[in-house]
Coordinates of all heavy atoms in Angstrom, one line a residue:
Y27 N -66.6 50.9 51.6 CA -65.7 52.0 51.3 C -65.7 52.4 49.8 O -66.0 51.5 49.0 CB -64.2 51.7 51.7 CG -64.0 51.4 53.2 CD1 -63.6 50.2 53.6 CD2 -64.2 52.4 54.1 CE1 -63.4 50.0 55.0 CE2 -64.0 52.2 55.5 CZ -63.6 51.0 55.9 OH -63.4 50.8 57.2
A28 N -65.4 53.6 49.5 CA -65.2 54.0 48.1 C -63.9 53.4 47.7 O -62.9 53.5 48.3 CB -65.1 55.5 48.0
G29 N -63.9 52.7 46.5 CA -62.8 52.0 46.0 C -62.7 50.6 46.5 O -63.5 50.1 47.2
P30 N -61.6 49.9 46.2 CA -61.5 48.5 46.5 C -61.0 48.2 47.9 O -61.1 47.0 48.3 CB -60.4 48.0 45.5 CG -59.5 49.2 45.3 CD -60.5 50.4 45.3
A31 N -60.6 49.2 48.7 CA -60.0 48.9 50.0 C -61.1 48.4 51.0 O -62.2 48.8 50.8 CB -59.3 50.1 50.5
G32 N -60.6 47.7 52.0 CA -61.5 47.4 53.1 C -62.5 46.3 52.9 O -63.5 46.3 53.7
R33 N -62.3 45.5 51.9 CA -63.3 44.4 51.7 C -63.4 43.5 52.9 O -64.4 42.8 53.2 CB -63.0 43.6 50.5 CG -63.3 44.4 49.2 CD -63.3 43.6 48.0 NE -63.6 44.3 46.8 CZ -62.7 44.6 45.8 NH1 -61.5 44.1 45.9 NH2 -63.0 45.3 44.7
E34 N -62.3 43.4 53.7 CA -62.3 42.5 54.8 C -63.1 43.1 56.0 O -63.5 42.4 56.9 CB -60.9 42.2 55.3 CG -60.2 43.4 56.0 CD -59.7 44.5 55.1 OE1 -59.8 44.3 53.8 OE2 -59.3 45.6 55.6
T35 N -63.4 44.4 55.9 CA -64.2 45.0 57.0 C -65.7 44.8 56.9 O -66.4 44.5 57.8 CB -63.9 46.5 57.0 OG1 -62.5 46.8 57.2 CG2 -64.7 47.3 58.1
F36 N -66.2 44.8 55.6 CA -67.6 44.6 55.4 C -67.8 43.2 54.8 O -67.4 43.0 53.6 CB -68.1 45.7 54.4 CG -68.1 47.1 55.0 CD1 -67.0 47.9 54.7 CD2 -69.1 47.6 55.7 CE1 -66.9 49.2 55.2 CE2 -69.1 48.9 56.2 CZ -68.0 49.7 56.0
R37 N -68.4 42.3 55.5 CA -68.5 40.9 55.1 C -69.9 40.4 55.4 O -70.3 40.5 56.6 CB -67.5 40.0 55.7 CG -66.0 40.4 55.4 CD -65.1 39.2 55.6 NE -65.1 38.7 56.9 CZ -64.3 39.0 57.9 NH1 -63.5 40.0 57.7 NH2 -64.4 38.4 59.1
D38 N -70.6 39.9 54.4 CA -71.9 39.2 54.6 C -72.9 40.2 55.4 O -73.6 39.7 56.2 CB -71.7 37.9 55.4 CG -70.8 36.9 54.7 OD1 -70.9 36.9 53.5 OD2 -70.0 36.3 55.4
G39 N -72.9 41.4 55.0 CA -73.8 42.4 55.6 C -73.4 42.8 57.0 O -74.2 43.6 57.6
E40 N -72.3 42.5 57.4 CA -71.8 42.9 58.8 C -70.6 43.7 58.7 O -69.8 43.6 57.7 CB -71.6 41.7 59.7 CG -72.9 40.9 60.1 CD -72.6 39.9 61.1 OE1 -71.7 39.0 60.9 OE2 -73.4 39.8 62.1
L41 N -70.3 44.4 59.8 CA -69.1 45.3 59.9 C -68.2 44.6 60.9 O -68.6 44.5 62.1 CB -69.6 46.7 60.3 CG -68.5 47.6 60.8 CD1 -67.5 47.9 59.7 CD2 -69.1 48.9 61.3
H42 N -67.0 44.2 60.5 CA -66.0 43.7 61.4 C -65.1 44.8 61.8 O -64.3 45.3 61.0 CB -65.2 42.6 60.7 CG -66.1 41.3 60.4 ND1 -66.0 40.2 61.2 CD2 -67.1 41.1 59.6 CE1 -66.9 39.3 60.7 NE2 -67.6 39.9 59.7
T43 N -65.3 45.3 63.0 CA -64.8 46.7 63.4 C -63.3 46.7 63.6 O -62.7 47.8 63.5 CB -65.5 47.2 64.6 OG1 -65.1 46.3 65.7 CG2 -67.0 47.2 64.5
G44 N -62.7 45.6 64.0 CA -61.3 45.6 64.4 C -61.1 46.2 65.8 O -60.0 46.3 66.3
D45 N -62.2 46.5 66.5 CA -62.2 46.9 67.9 C -62.4 45.7 68.8 O -63.2 44.8 68.5 CB -63.3 48.0 68.1 CG -63.0 49.3 67.4 OD1 -61.8 49.6 67.2 OD2 -64.0 50.0 67.1
A46 N -61.7 45.8 69.9 CA -61.9 44.7 70.9 C -62.8 45.2 72.0 O -62.8 46.3 72.5 CB -60.5 44.4 71.5
G47 N -63.6 44.2 72.6 CA -64.5 44.5 73.7 C -65.1 43.2 74.2 O -64.8 42.1 73.7
F48 N -66.1 43.4 75.0 CA -66.8 42.3 75.5 C -68.2 42.8 75.9 O -68.5 44.0 76.1 CB -66.1 41.6 76.7 CG -65.9 42.5 77.9 CD1 -66.8 42.7 78.9 CD2 -64.7 43.3 78.0 CE1 -66.6 43.5 80.0 CE2 -64.5 44.1 79.1 CZ -65.4 44.2 80.1
L49 N -69.2 41.8 75.9 CA -70.5 42.1 76.4 C -70.7 41.5 77.8 O -70.2 40.5 78.1 CB -71.5 41.4 75.4 CG -71.6 41.9 74.0 CD1 -72.4 41.0 73.1 CD2 -72.4 43.3 74.0
R50 N -71.5 42.3 78.6 CA -71.8 41.8 79.9 C -73.3 42.2 80.2 O -73.6 43.4 80.2 CB -70.9 42.4 81.0 CG -71.2 41.9 82.4 CD -70.1 42.3 83.4 NE -68.9 41.5 83.1 CZ -67.8 41.7 83.9 NH1 -67.8 42.5 84.9 NH2 -66.7 41.0 83.6
D51 N -74.1 41.2 80.3 CA -75.6 41.5 80.5 C -76.2 42.4 79.5 O -77.0 43.3 79.7 CB -75.8 42.1 81.9 CG -75.3 41.3 83.1 OD1 -75.4 40.0 82.9 OD2 -74.7 41.8 84.0
G52 N -75.7 42.2 78.2 CA -76.2 42.9 77.1 C -75.6 44.3 76.9 O -75.9 44.9 75.9
E53 N -74.7 44.7 77.7 CA -74.0 46.0 77.6 C -72.6 45.8 77.0 O -71.9 44.9 77.3 CB -73.9 46.8 78.9 CG -73.3 48.1 78.8 CD -73.3 49.0 80.1 OE1 -73.7 48.4 81.1 OE2 -73.0 50.2 80.0

C-alpha cells in the first residue's frame, strides 16, 4: 500500500487477504 498502512497484509512476498475460503480438488 501507499504509506505505512497494511504491513500485515503483505508479508514475505505473499498477500494475506483476510478472506475466508477453502480448496477442494484444486478449486
